[in-house]
Amino acid sequence: MKKLLIVAVLIAIFAPFCTIAIKKQVYEKKVETYLIENKFYQKAEIQSIKAKWHLAGLPKYWVNVIFSDEPNTVYVYFEDGKDKFVQLEYYTIDGTNPSVEQLKNYEPYLK
């Protein structure tokens, strides 16, 4: 009985972390599919896709995308409706503030 209780407690502790990790992977795949199928990017044009999560964040999940032709700029995507993704913001890794005209992959968020 004691072993069963320990197992139940461990599952209760680790289940939320597993759920978050799985959802992050799902969001990464969804954004990759969105960029390739809807925005017509090639896989080689996408350097990295990394989902993030925040307990009190709105949205709770977002995805940072770095394109190969702009390795210093991170574009932030989030889901705005079922399987519809929008570019919420962008920032540069080195802290510079490029103008919108300088960005190659900028998509203004129009609601």
Side-chain angles (χ1 to χ4, degrees):
M1 187 66 168
K2 191 173 186 179
K3 288 181 183 179
L4 185 60
L5 180 61
I6 291 171
V7 170
V9 169
L10 288 174
I11 288 173
I13 291 172
F14 290 109
F17 295 105
C18 292
T19 301
I20 291 166
I22 290 168
K23 282 190 175 185
K24 286 170 61 175
Q25 288 178 340
V26 167
Y27 273 91
E28 289 170 359
K29 187 63 178 166
K30 281 182 167 185
V31 168
E32 179 182 50
T33 301
Y34 169 78
L35 291 173
I36 291 171
E37 293 179 3
N38 296 76
K39 295 299 180 179
F40 307 108
Y41 285 97
Q42 300 295 316
K43 266 193 169 186
E45 294 176 291
I46 302 168
Q47 182 175 317
S48 72
I49 298 177
K50 183 74 176 158
K52 302 288 185 177
W53 174 83
H54 192 275
L55 178 64
L58 286 175
K60 284 198 178 294
Y61 294 92
W62 65 92
V63 181
N64 292 339
V65 177
I66 299 176
F67 294 97
S68 300
D69 61 350
E70 288 183 285
N72 191 44
T73 305
V74 178
Y75 291 92
V76 181
Y77 287 83
F78 78 102
E79 191 170 26
D80 185 29
K82 186 172 176 119
D83 293 331
K84 179 180 181 252
F85 289 88
V86 294
Q87 200 179 86
L88 179 63
E89 63 182 21
Y90 66 89
Y91 62 91
T92 58
I93 295 170
D94 65 5
T96 60
N97 291 319
S99 67
V100 172
E101 293 80 26
Q102 293 174 302
L103 298 171
K104 298 175 184 171
N105 299 289
Y106 176 72
E107 298 173 33
Y109 175 53
L110 305 171
K111 189 136 187 173

